[in-house]
């Protein structure tokens, strides 16, 4: 009986009444900084998980383009915005698909579905150059196939309704479009870094489960803001797939904006998260 009373007493005093909060709660006991990914990892090429991850990126980007391009065409086909889902519906389609696809593929490939995201994670040394290039190639191929299937189903409407191709809209300059793509991609990639931060995962077990939600919501909000400017790219594979299948001079004239902007935005987000938020270059190594 005495032993039981002692156990109860120990259990009651196991935790102090005042628990640390904020930065004071962040200790090194629950987390170790993972080593940076090697620049080249030849062994990956002999691993089925490597090829499986690329196939997952291809399929996810294929489905992403298929659903979103059909949504954009449906809005453009309507006689007025009130007769369709409108800009809000387009934004929900893009954000919702990213939420669903990241949830489905995060455990296989990381759920990038975007060369800009892959580029940002590569700069942060989260994956090798070999895997980064492979992901980007598969993402672009998936986007081309997704847009191609839509055109195959309805070739005439596809060309008449713009095919979901990105271009800088009337009233805006290419500089405006470039700025919108840089800031929009920064928001997305910064959210990806924050939602998947390994240090947060070590403290909060619910973070990996919730990660697709803020990422999808970031895509939704960026689309609301930038659809009137560029139709919202923030994903070079999405822009390339639609441009190749649509194949219009206007889309190609503006196409560089949808590669340069997202890659600059992704690089800035990676630098901001790694240097300012995580302060990795300034940490002392034991």
């Amino acid at each position: 009986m005495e032993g039981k009373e002692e156990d109860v007493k120990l259990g009651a005093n196991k935790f102090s009444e005042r628990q640390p909060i904020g930065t004071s709660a962040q200790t090194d006991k629950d987390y170790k900084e993972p080593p940076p990914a090697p620049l080249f990892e030849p062994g990956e090429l002999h691993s089925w998980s490597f090829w499986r991850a690329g196939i997952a990126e291809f399929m996810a980007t294929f489905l992403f383009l298929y659903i979103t391009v059909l949504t954009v065409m449906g809005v453009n086909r309507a006689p007025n915005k009130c007769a369709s889902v409108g800009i809000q519906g387009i934004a929900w389609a893009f954000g919702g698909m990213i939420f669903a696809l990241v949830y489905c593929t995060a455990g296989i490939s990381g759920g990038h579905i975007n060369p800009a995201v892959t580029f940002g994670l590569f700069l942060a040394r989260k994956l090798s150059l070999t895997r980064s290039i492979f992901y980007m190639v598969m993402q672009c191929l998936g986007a081309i196939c997704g847009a191609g299937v839509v055109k195959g189903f309805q070739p005439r409407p596809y060309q008449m309704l713009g095919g979901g191709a990105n271009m800088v809209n009337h009233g805006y300059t290419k500089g405006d479009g470039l700025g919108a793509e840089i800031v929009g991609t920064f928001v997305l990639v910064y959210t990806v870094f924050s939602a998947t931060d390994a240090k947060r995962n070590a403290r909060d077990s619910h973070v990996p489960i919730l990660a697709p939600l803020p990422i999808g919501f970031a895509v939704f909000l960026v689309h609301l803001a930038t659809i009137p400017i560029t139709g919202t790219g923030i994903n070079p594979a999405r822009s390339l797939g639609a441009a190749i299948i649509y194949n219009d001079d206007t889309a190609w004239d503006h196409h560089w904006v949808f590669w340069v902007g997202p890659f600059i935005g992704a690089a800035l987000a990676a630098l901001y998260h790694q240097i300012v938020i995580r302060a990795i270059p300034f940490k002392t190594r034991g």
Side-chain angles (χ1 to χ4, degrees), residues 107-230:
I108 303 171
S109 65
H112 298 187
I113 322 171
N114 185 335
V117 172
T118 301
F119 180 66
L121 293 172
F122 165 72
L123 292 181
R125 301 296 300 276
K126 303 294 185 183
L127 65 164
S128 67
L129 179 62
T130 310
R131 186 175 291 265
S132 300
I133 294 174
F134 182 49
Y135 276 17
M136 291 182 190
V137 170
M138 296 302 282
Q139 290 158 359
C140 290
L141 290 176
I144 294 168
C145 292
V149 168
V150 174
K151 185 175 181 178
F153 285 160
Q154 36 189 328
R156 289 189 61 189
Y158 185 91
Q159 292 300 128
M160 291 175 58
L161 300 172
N166 287 121
M167 57 191 73
V168 179
N169 292 323
H170 295 295
Y172 296 97
T173 66
K174 292 181 181 178
D176 297 332
L178 181 64
E181 290 296 306
I182 291 174
V183 176
T185 311
F186 179 92
V187 171
L188 169 59
V189 178
Y190 176 42
T191 303
V192 170
F193 273 104
S194 299
T196 60
D197 193 318
K199 188 168 186 177
R200 294 182 63 194
N201 294 353
R203 297 193 309 269
D204 306 318
S205 61
H206 63 277
V207 169
I209 300 174
L210 296 179
L213 183 59
I215 296 171
F217 199 61
V219 172
F220 165 71
L221 293 175
V222 170
H223 275 76
L224 285 182
T226 59
I227 282 177
I229 305 174
T230 62

Side-chain angles (χ1 to χ4, degrees), residues 197-279:
D197 193 318
K199 188 168 186 177
R200 294 182 63 194
N201 294 353
R203 297 193 309 269
D204 306 318
S205 61
H206 63 277
V207 169
I209 300 174
L210 296 179
L213 183 59
I215 296 171
F217 199 61
V219 172
F220 165 71
L221 293 175
V222 170
H223 275 76
L224 285 182
T226 59
I227 282 177
I229 305 174
T230 62
T232 309
I234 67 170
N235 184 334
R238 171 259 188 275
S239 301
L240 178 66
I244 287 178
I245 301 302
Y246 182 53
N247 198 26
D248 181 79
D249 290 341
T250 306
W252 287 119
D253 288 343
H254 300 169
H255 189 65
W256 66 269
V257 170
F258 302 100
W259 281 87
V260 176
F263 272 56
I264 292 176
L268 292 175
L271 290 172
Y272 177 69
H273 184 267
Q274 296 295 95
I275 296 176
V276 179
I277 301 300
R278 292 295 307 282

